[in-house]
Amino acid sequence: MVDYGLVSIVTATYNMAQYLPLTVESVLGQTYQNLELIVVDDGSSDNTSEVMARFAAEPRVRYIRLERNCGQTVAKNRGLSEVKGAFVAFVDADNLWKPNKLERQLPLFVASERTGVVYSDAEYIDGSGAVLPYIERKYHDGDITAKLLLSNFVNFNSAVVRKEVIDEVGGFDEALAMGIDWDLWLRISVRYRFRFLPEQTYSYRLWENQMSHQKVKRLKNAEKILEKFQRAYPDAVPAKTLDEAKALLYADYALLELKNGTKSEAMTQAVRALKMRPDRLQFWKTLVKVIIG
């Protein structure tokens, strides 16, 4: 097998002792063996330190425990500060890698130095590990900034990134609580190309109370990310693309407010969406849904 250099994998974990050992084993079980795994315990109050003790003799695993819970952004950045590899990858503490993940993705970096990130499709599993019905998503390859503004389709746990790219654009923005991967991909996409591997290289676990279910918080952080992107890269995409990204966000807000029973606020957000892109039928449909809802 070709040696592409050391791959550093960062796992930030908080009270995930029930799943973490399986995650670690899925990384250590890679067919591509030149790797290190950095597990950053974000001040867990469960038995995370005990379950990690079983990997104490494994030289490829480093376990770092923070004294208090600082949040995922700080924990992930701490992990990034420790990496030694030419490539960086991420896996959350409740997800699993397929054995040939790195073996399949690393060769895609060879074709071009402009390739900064290689990512893939995902399999979905439940809390017990049973495979769930496939969730179809639209993925994109190459210069993806305009597409990425409209939807974060880059699966975080699938991504492998050149370390020099992260050094250039910086790590995760600690002013954000959610959407930190979207913010990072946007910054990278302005300078580098993304390659998509149409294979399911990891298993994404769907279970109750996970962070991705916190929709209000997610939308507020998405708004911050769009505003930040517009300030930093005003000419990176056509103005209509950024308008559409904002319209999609406001439409999501409208439907959420409608679901929560605050119809007046739902109407405000639906009108905001329509003003951004009055030429798009979907935003007229959102307005109608709010009116009759």
Side-chain angles (χ1 to χ4, degrees):
M1 184 180 296
V2 176
D3 187 349
Y4 296 94
L6 179 68
V7 180
S8 299
I9 300 102
V10 174
T11 295
T13 184
Y14 178 66
N15 289 344
M16 286 289 167
Q18 61 178 325
Y19 295 128
L20 183 57
L22 295 174
T23 302
V24 174
E25 289 164 5
S26 77
V27 171
L28 297 179
Q30 289 293 296
T31 53
Y32 185 87
Q33 287 282 291
N34 189 8
L35 58 83
E36 63 171 358
L37 173 62
I38 302 160
V39 177
V40 181
D41 180 353
D42 189 20
S44 295
S45 57
D46 64 1
N47 62 327
T48 292
S49 58
E50 294 175 19
V51 301
M52 283 303 299
R54 75 181 68 172
F55 302 104
E58 170 55 69
R60 293 176 298 167
V61 176
R62 276 184 281 159
Y63 174 59
I64 300 168
R65 178 174 170 80
L66 304 184
E67 292 184 3
R68 60 183 179 84
N69 179 235
C70 299
Q72 63 155 342
T73 318
V74 172
K76 285 181 169 67
N77 278 341
R78 174 60 191 277
L80 286 177
S81 72
E82 299 282 340
V83 303
K84 300 176 181 177
F87 297 93
V88 179
F90 306 95
V91 58
D92 290 333
D94 54 347
N95 295 323
L96 305 171
W97 276 9
K98 301 289 188 180
N100 65 344
K101 179 185 186 300
L102 293 177
E103 179 185 353
R104 295 292 296 145
Q105 288 183 256
L106 288 172
L108 298 184
F109 283 100
V110 175
S112 171
E113 291 185 357
R114 278 207 66 217
T115 298
V117 179
V118 174
Y119 74 107
S120 78
D121 203 347
E123 174 185 69
Y124 297 87
I125 59 176
D126 65 15
S128 63
V131 177
L132 297 171
Y134 177 68
I135 301 174
E136 188 169 352
R137 302 178 69 192
K138 187 173 288 187
Y139 297 104
H140 302 277
D141 207 77
D143 295 311
I144 66 169
T145 305
K147 300 288 188 183
L148 189 60
L149 268 173
L150 304 181
S151 172
N152 182 15
F153 48 79
V154 179
N155 293 315
F156 179 68
N157 290 263
S158 77
V160 182
V161 190
R162 291 187 195 271
K163 174 59 165 54
E164 63 193 60
V165 171
I166 292 180
D167 289 341
E168 181 179 338
V169 306
F172 298 103
D173 185 347
E174 295 184 8
L176 298 169
M178 297 184 72
I180 62 173
D181 57 325
W182 187 36
D183 172 71
L184 177 61
W185 305 148
L186 283 168
R187 282 185 275 132
I188 293 174
S189 73
V190 173
R191 308 183 189 194
Y192 292 92
R193 296 172 63 86
F194 283 58
R195 287 292 307 276
F196 171 66
L197 177 69
E199 297 178 18
Q200 298 172 5
T201 67
Y202 81 104
S203 300
Y204 182 80
R205 196 183 301 274
L206 293 170
W207 55 284
E208 293 183 0
N209 298 322
Q210 65 189 141
M211 184 172 289
S212 57
H213 291 166
Q214 301 174 31
K215 192 163 186 179
V216 173
K217 191 175 181 180
R218 179 178 65 79
L219 289 174
K220 288 182 178 179
N221 279 271
E223 192 165 16
K224 290 181 182 178
I225 291 167
L226 288 178
E227 291 171 353
K228 174 185 173 184
F229 181 85
Q230 186 173 20
R231 289 194 304 270
Y233 309 104
D235 302 317
V237 297
K240 276 195 170 184
T241 301
L242 194 56
D243 287 345
E244 185 168 353
K246 292 178 180 178
L248 288 167
L249 176 65
Y250 301 149
D252 276 352
Y253 264 126
L255 295 177
L256 182 61
E257 295 294 350
L258 182 64
K259 182 179 178 181
N260 292 339
T262 50
K263 191 168 181 177
S264 61
E265 182 59 26
M267 182 66 71
T268 298
Q269 297 297 338
V271 170
R272 288 180 78 192
L274 194 57
K275 283 182 177 179
M276 298 306 300
R277 289 303 301 264
D279 57 323
R280 289 298 173 92
L281 179 61
Q282 70 186 96
F283 302 123
W284 285 99
K285 288 181 176 180
T286 299
L287 181 61
V288 171
K289 187 176 290 188
V290 171
I291 292 172
I292 67 177

